[in-house]
Amino acid sequence: MTKVRVSELAAEFGIGADEVLGLLRTMDITARNPASVLTDDQVARARVRWEREKRNRTEPVVAEKAPAKKKAVAKKAAETTEAKPAAKKKVAAKKAAAAEPEPAPDAGADEPVKTTRRRRAADVQKAEEEAAAAQAAAEAAAAAAEAERAEKAAREAEEAAKAAKLAEEQAAARARADEAERLRQAELAAAREAAQPAPSTPAAEPPKAAAPAARPAAPDAPRPRPVPPAPPRPRPVSGLNLPPRPVASATPGGGMGGGRRDERGGSGGRPGAPAGSNFGPNATPSSGPRRGKKGKRVDQEQVTANISRTMRQMGGATGKRRGVRDDSAAREELAAMRAEIAAREKVTIRVNEFITVSELAESLKVPATQIVAFAFKHLGLMVTINQRMDFDQIELIASEFGYIAVREEDYAASAEEDEVKDAAEDLKPRPPVVTIMGHVDHGKTSLLDYIRKATVVAGEAGGITQHIGAYHVSLPDGRQITFLDTPGHEAFTAMRARGAQVTDIVVLVVAADDAVMPQTIEAISHAKNAGVPIIVAINKIDLPTANAMKVRQDLLQHGVVLEDFGGTTLASEISAKKGTGVKELLEQILLQAEILDLKANPDRRATGSVVEAQLDQGKGAVATILVQNGTLKVGDDFICGLHSGRVRALLDERGKQVKEAGPAVPVQVLGLTGVPMAGDQFIVVADAQEAREIAQRRERLDREAKSRRTAKGAVSLEDFMASAASGEKRQLKLLIKADQGGPAEALADALQQLSNEEVQVEVVARAVGAVTESDILLAKASGAIIIGFHVRPDTKARAAADREGVEIKLYRIIYEAVADVKAALEGLLRPEEKEVVFGEAEVRETFKVPKIGVIAGCSVRSGVINRQGRARVIRDGIEVYDGTIGSLRRFKDDVKEVKEGYECGIGIENFNDLKVGDVIEVYRTEEVARTLQPASAG
Ligand SMILES: Nc1nc2c(ncn2[C@@H]2O[C@H](COP(=O)(O)OP(=O)(O)OP(=O)(O)O)[C@@H](O)[C@H]2O)c(=O)[nH]1
């Protein structure tokens, strides 16, 4: 970890250390003084925040320029009218007042004005009352003359408009739209003014803060007599928080600007366009229900709505007198806007939050390595190619590469379902939902297993037998906790990526004989980003090398302040192996849950999230749903991701049928029309027809979104050869998985060295472990081929590879892998040896048979175990032996084959190290004549 002090960060940002300390405070990062040392994670977060802060700071500056310009225009208009008869001057002053942007505190209001405003604040109430009285009295007197005056004022306003013509021409098309609206407001204001009493009352005196633009028109010019110094703006309007009409007239483009003001970095911005739409009280309302917190993202609908509103406004303001000229102005305006939208569309990328670096790279059409380098250099973030990023980071990176990132909702799910708010009295306490995270081998699985076994209530038939991705346990006192049985951050982020925030508490497992490791840090930042409290489980304290204090101190370095150090994070010292301290850990979880005051309403239609889903040969599509609110019952119609259905049956984690499941209870749901994705929302609806319609709509939206994405197809070595033969310069991307780190590196090096001027080998990722589904997805996204060395794909990965068309090449000798890739590079691929897997059996028990060796009592998981085939033994996804079957028996009989679902005894020739849990895969190899396939498109 590099040490970065606050003062160094301040120097890097070019601001004071105090300011950095302030920034850190807003991010809940404790740093006492400029010499305080920050962790890498904190530095990275501070950089991201500062980048955002910097942008926010620069935007108002740009915005302020426009008001200044407007002010000048208004002043000019006022000055022009100054020379004209006095009656006109009044209108000009009025107009100038109307044209003056709202002197919002951030719009650069000068200090005296502020002081005046403060001084007057106390008088406001009184003045208001007086003004109201005066206005009421005057209204009666002025009513008769009102119509005549209004007409006159309208004529004057037209004159004023002519006077402002010069200014209008200088302004851009947008300014013209503003002007039209301003004119309309001027007419209204003039009419209103006509109804006001002529003499100034204390209340009628315009406050300087409210109408500063009136001043340039008034000060030195001798006031022409016939017209009394009529108040440009009546005080009641400005003094109170009433809808500030004249100010509103100053920024009719606020709405327009709302849709256009995202021109960060100047993209698409036109000179003279009033960028000032992000100031003034009406700027925000006019920007509509914008998603996201910053309100500066492009919103196509918003822009379109603004165009039509501008058209309406222009039509309303022009009337017959200005019809012809403004019609063409409107057309011009519209054409300019359309061009602008089209230009912006070109640099707009639509992304789902939490897309991976490689997906982002694909959208930005740059190599992923550039993004990795940029994130490291400028944001201080160490990202890997398949790491997911949050929207702020995506937005920053996209803007660096000249794109505007727009958040794309998955299937606009929320808009469709009516959000029923629960009354406080309907809410009842619910169990907490816990996810266990931590570094590899720190003991997550062991802890989950121990809890699962230890907390099974005595007498519960069979205990927890099914792995359904989640289970809930009852403590002796009846309190319950739900555990998501998918340890690791991937499941957590994958669910968050789809908008499902199901976890209430994260248990962070750190091995006491190790230290805080990269994945521990990652887990901390995942939990913090999601705003989920952490409980630390310091594991393996039974080991003599355990040093719990070191773990505590390490965690402090990473912003996790345990209770012992005066923080709020709870921690337990446990041994997942022996069960020591696990009870205390569960107590802490329940304590934390009490603090969180978790509640849900069980008496409503259920909503939940998909934890896991798969296609079961017997049951069809099956999904584990964690009910988040309401109660799910058999027979309920529902919509789930892109699918709909009716609950046919509900199964709990013991495989038992249940009739219903309440909040925070996980259940397996049967009756889906398709397999949803983890994190998909599950919503019970009143009407089956409605569910089907929503599902169809979502499917269409999903298809559209998919086709928008520039998906790259999967490649195979054959494809690569074909294109190599056609003479294209190509890149062969590889994803390497090996049983150990050393061979992975060695293989990567050896393969990369095959690159030459015409062809290049790029290793997109190398890692240790079995080939998993996420490897397939990464390979698909980056157009890579998977090279497995001494590892096997699991069943899910194999299915995914078939589905996605990703090629997996498995090797046991580095030389063979290198030779194959080399042959592919040279366009000389040897006939392919294709492997056909007959079936898989899982070892349930082992027996030592004298003179024969170890026989494994197995259950055939899939396919057929065939005596003729070769057998390989797989332990934890890693191949440990490859040989032939020595004996295959069912009961006492030797058999040729055993089918799925049956039990049998298997002996492997010359291999006695079979263990419970091993998988025996039986296969045969075939030599297949190589065919060149056309490149498949995604
Ligand atoms: N001595 C001791 N060993 C433990 C304890 N908890 C886990 N282990 C061992 O640590 C190793 C890793 O434990 P796992 O539970 O598989 O760790 P994990 O974090 O789930 O690992 P991954 O699934 O690979 O991420 C296993 O060999 C466990 O037996 C413990 O409390 N004490």
Side-chain angles (χ1 to χ4, degrees):
M1 190 183 76
T2 42
K3 278 189 178 176
V4 177
R5 293 178 192 284
V6 172
S7 55
E8 287 163 3
L9 212 53
E12 181 188 323
F13 294 169
I15 55 173
D18 284 350
E19 212 172 335
V20 175
L21 286 170
L23 194 74
L24 295 173
R25 258 195 303 280
T26 62
M27 298 164 63
D28 284 341
I29 297 177
T30 338
R32 288 195 179 76
N33 52 48
S36 301
V37 177
L38 300 172
T39 64
D40 289 347
D41 177 48
Q42 290 169 341
V43 171
R45 284 171 53 210
R47 282 186 180 132
V48 173
R49 173 66 71 93
W50 170 241
E51 283 294 329
R52 200 184 316 150
E53 188 79 24
K54 218 161 56 177
R55 277 212 316 258
N56 288 347
R57 285 183 189 192
T58 48
E59 271 172 15
V61 174
V62 177
E64 276 166 22
K65 285 180 187 157
K69 192 161 187 171
K70 265 192 175 178
K71 197 166 173 177
V73 171
K75 192 171 171 186
K76 199 161 188 175
E79 279 165 8
T80 321
T81 24
E82 198 77 28
K84 297 196 186 247
K88 286 176 189 167
K89 180 185 170 181
K90 183 183 77 174
V91 178
K94 180 81 204 156
K95 187 168 153 48
E100 176 63 16
E102 164 66 3
D106 60 342
D110 51 6
E111 200 46 43
V113 172
K114 278 190 194 160
T115 324
T116 313
R117 185 185 289 170
R118 271 200 297 276
R119 205 173 49 241
R120 284 171 184 270
D123 300 335
V124 166
Q125 185 67 35
K126 195 166 158 241
E128 283 313 326
E129 286 162 10
E130 285 171 3
Q135 190 171 343
E139 249 165 28
E146 186 180 357
E148 191 191 336
R149 282 189 184 205
E151 203 184 314
K152 190 180 162 208
R155 274 201 305 278
E156 287 167 353
E158 199 182 341
E159 294 280 340
K162 280 181 195 160
K165 192 179 163 198
L166 179 62
E168 278 181 19
E169 281 166 2
Q170 288 171 344
R174 175 95 68 85
R176 279 202 291 278
D178 289 355
E179 184 58 32
E181 173 62 8
R182 201 152 48 220
L183 179 65
R184 196 169 69 85
Q185 291 296 336
E187 286 175 6
L188 287 173
R192 261 202 312 279
E193 189 190 331
Q196 292 293 324
S200 63
T201 63
E205 189 194 335
K208 284 177 190 139
R215 280 176 290 155
D220 359 275
R223 286 171 184 274
R225 264 214 65 255
V227 180
R233 193 191 304 176
R235 191 177 154 67
V237 175
S238 56
L240 265 186
N241 282 338
L242 293 172
R245 282 170 293 171
V247 177
S249 72
T251 53
M256 261 161 41
R260 305 169 42 134
R261 69 199 170 99
D262 57 290
E263 289 86 5
R264 200 180 322 118
S267 71
R270 284 176 305 126
S277 45
N278 51 357
F279 62 82
N282 60 337
T284 311
S286 70
S287 56
R290 191 183 283 117
R291 287 193 306 260
K293 47 195 175 228
K294 292 194 194 159
K296 57 187 163 210
R297 283 162 198 148
V298 187
D299 189 325
Q300 180 78 50
E301 281 169 28
Q302 188 77 43
V303 174
T304 318
N306 285 328
I307 292 176
S308 39
R309 195 175 51 218
T310 308
M311 287 298 287
R312 276 203 307 280
Q313 282 175 349
M314 294 178 89
T318 51
K320 279 180 190 163
R321 282 166 288 159
R322 298 166 56 110
V324 179
R325 192 170 65 85
D326 281 340
D327 264 4
S328 63
R331 268 197 301 277
E332 251 177 52
E333 170 79 2
L334 206 58
M337 275 186 178
R338 285 201 176 124
E340 195 180 318
I341 291 166
R344 199 164 44 230
E345 269 301 298
K346 277 193 191 153
V347 291
T348 298
I349 53 159
R350 291 188 162 68
V351 293
N352 292 324
E353 186 155 18
F354 303 111
I355 59 167
T356 61
V357 170
S358 72
E359 284 163 349
L360 180 62
E362 220 169 89
S363 303
L364 298 178
K365 302 178 188 74
V366 295
T369 44
Q370 267 192 36
I371 294 183
V372 173
F374 173 79
F376 182 67
K377 219 163 132 194
H378 299 282
L379 308 177
L381 287 173
M382 291 268 277
V383 291
T384 54
I385 193 160
N386 51 348
Q387 189 166 326
R388 296 178 187 276
M389 290 178 295
D390 67 27
F391 189 77
D392 283 342
Q393 293 165 348
I394 294 168
E395 202 188 18
L396 260 174
I397 293 171
S399 71
E400 177 61 25
F401 289 92
Y403 283 84
I404 301 165
V406 181
R407 198 192 304 248
E408 179 177 64
E409 300 296 336
D410 253 349
Y411 344 95
S414 51
E416 288 160 5
E417 290 79 26
D418 48 335
E419 281 260 320
V420 187
K421 282 265 170 283
D422 292 310
E425 63 271 17
D426 296 336
L427 294 173
K428 309 225 165 75
R430 65 161 175 86
V433 179
V434 179
T435 293
I436 296 190
M437 292 203 217
H439 193 70
V440 181
D441 275 355
H442 278 199
K444 302 177 289 291
T445 317
S446 306
L447 177 59
L448 272 166
D449 285 350
Y450 182 85
I451 294 172
R452 187 176 14 222
K453 286 184 198 128
T455 51
V456 170
V457 179
E460 282 268 22
I464 298 169
T465 52
Q466 311 273 307
H467 176 93
I468 65 166
Y471 60 83
H472 74 302
V473 295
S474 296
L475 301 190
D477 59 5
R479 290 180 297 170
Q480 295 190 323
I481 305 174
T482 300
F483 286 93
L484 288 185
D485 194 1
T486 44
H489 331 145
E490 270 162 41
F492 185 80
T493 25
M495 289 192 82
R496 273 193 74 211
R498 303 190 62 75
Q501 171 90 28
V502 293
T503 303
D504 301 310
I505 296 165
V506 163
V507 168
L508 179 67
V509 178
V510 191
D513 66 333
D514 204 347
V516 167
M517 299 298 279
Q519 275 185 289
T520 321
I521 300 166
E522 215 180 292
I524 294 171
S525 67
H526 280 313
K528 283 192 174 167
N529 282 339
V532 177
I534 295 174
I535 295 177
V536 177
I538 304 175
N539 191 25
K540 306 196 187 182
I541 50 150
D542 56 303
L543 293 175
T545 47
N547 185 352
M549 187 41 85
K550 182 174 175 296
V551 171
R552 288 187 156 83
Q553 279 161 356
D554 268 11
L555 286 168
L556 192 62
Q557 293 280 311
H558 292 93
V560 179
V561 190
L562 302 187
E563 270 193 327
D564 325 24
F565 295 127
T568 51
T569 309
L570 303 172
S572 288
E573 291 183 13
I574 63 160
S575 164
K577 204 171 184 179
K578 299 194 169 159
T580 328
V582 175
K583 205 167 140 235
E584 287 73 20
L585 176 68
L586 296 178
E587 277 302 326
Q588 286 187 337
I589 291 172
L590 289 165
L591 180 70
Q592 183 72 58
E594 250 173 58
I595 298 168
L596 294 174
D597 192 24
L598 304 164
K599 284 187 170 157
N601 175 10
D603 305 316
R604 57 172 280 179
R605 287 204 298 265
T607 56
S609 287
V610 177
V611 177
E612 225 179 55
Q614 69 269 344
L615 196 61
D616 186 286
Q617 281 187 344
K619 301 176 192 156
V622 181
T624 299
I625 305 293
L626 180 71
V627 178
Q628 287 172 286
N629 206 1
T631 298
L632 179 60
K633 302 186 182 103
V634 173
D636 280 347
D637 289 307
F638 62 83
I639 166 95
C640 180
L642 302 177
H643 311 285
S644 59
R646 173 170 292 174
V647 179
R648 256 198 297 130
L650 295 173
L651 303 174
D652 68 6
E653 58 267 57
R654 292 172 177 80
K656 266 197 324 197
Q657 289 223 6
V658 289
K659 288 216 171 80
E660 54 178 47
V665 174
V667 269
Q668 264 199 326
V669 174
L670 274 62
L672 283 144
T673 51
V675 184
M677 285 164 75
D680 271 343
Q681 253 190 319
F682 180 96
I683 298 165
V684 171
V685 292
D687 172 6
Q689 177 62 25
E690 188 197 357
R692 274 195 295 276
E693 278 167 17
I694 296 174
Q696 276 166 6
R697 194 159 56 241
R698 287 181 175 189
E699 241 180 302
R700 181 176 52 77
L701 287 170
D702 186 59
R703 263 199 315 275
E704 286 168 7
K706 269 192 191 137
S707 67
R708 266 203 305 274
R709 282 175 214 140
T710 48
K712 262 190 217 161
V715 294
S716 66
L717 277 183
E718 287 90 341
D719 297 335
F720 180 74
M721 268 203 45
S723 55
S726 71
E728 270 175 62
K729 176 172 176 175
R730 282 290 309 256
Q731 234 187 5
L732 175 62
K733 293 184 177 174
L734 302 174
L735 192 155
I736 297 172
K737 294 295 295 257
D739 56 342
Q740 286 166 31
E745 291 300 322
L747 192 55
D749 283 351
L751 294 175
Q752 268 165 338
Q753 275 165 20
L754 295 174
S755 300
N756 59 31
E757 287 127 34
E758 283 147 65
V759 288
Q760 197 193 345
V761 177
E762 192 195 335
V763 177
V764 292
R766 70 195 78 165
V768 173
V771 178
T772 62
E773 204 177 353
S774 65
D775 294 327
I776 306 290
L777 297 179
L778 174 59
K780 163 87 174 175
S782 49
I785 295 165
I786 296 179
I787 304 282
F789 185 71
H790 277 281
V791 291
R792 312 285 312 159
D794 54 28
T795 320
K796 272 190 187 170
R798 207 178 292 139
D802 283 349
R803 194 177 60 234
E804 306 286 352
V806 169
E807 182 172 20
I808 306 175
K809 291 258 170 192
L810 301 169
Y811 299 94
R812 270 177 296 135
I813 301 168
I814 288 187
Y815 168 76
E816 278 179 7
V818 175
D820 250 13
V821 173
K822 195 168 172 216
L825 291 175
E826 292 168 353
L828 294 166
L829 207 64
R830 287 174 289 135
E832 203 183 15
E833 268 204 335
K834 201 172 165 193
E835 211 177 69
V836 180
V837 175
F838 287 123
E840 276 180 353
E842 192 183 333
V843 178
R844 292 278 166 88
E845 275 178 79
T846 55
F847 310 95
K848 267 205 180 111
V849 181
K851 291 190 192 153
I852 294 180
V854 173
I855 298 292
C858 302
S859 158
V860 182
R861 271 205 320 210
S862 64
V864 174
I865 297 299
N866 188 326
R867 224 181 134 163
Q868 313 305 319
R870 283 186 71 80
R872 63 165 65 90
V873 181
I874 298 156
R875 190 166 299 152
D876 297 327
I878 291 167
E879 183 187 318
V880 290
Y881 187 71
D882 185 309
T884 50
I885 294 184
S887 69
L888 180 64
R889 286 188 163 200
R890 222 175 118 59
F891 302 113
K892 289 195 169 153
D893 304 325
D894 275 331
V895 287
K896 275 191 179 163
E897 58 174 36
V898 182
K899 293 206 174 97
E900 184 178 346
Y902 291 96
E903 309 211 311
C904 59
I906 301 176
I908 307 278
E909 207 129 54
N910 303 326
F911 186 69
N912 288 328
D913 187 30
L914 282 164
K915 292 214 166 97
V916 174
D918 285 352
V919 172
I920 300 173
E921 193 184 68
V922 180
Y923 70 99
R924 116 180 107 90
T925 46
E926 291 175 350
E927 273 207 350
V928 195
R930 199 189 64 216
T931 53
L932 291 179
Q933 294 161 3
S936 56

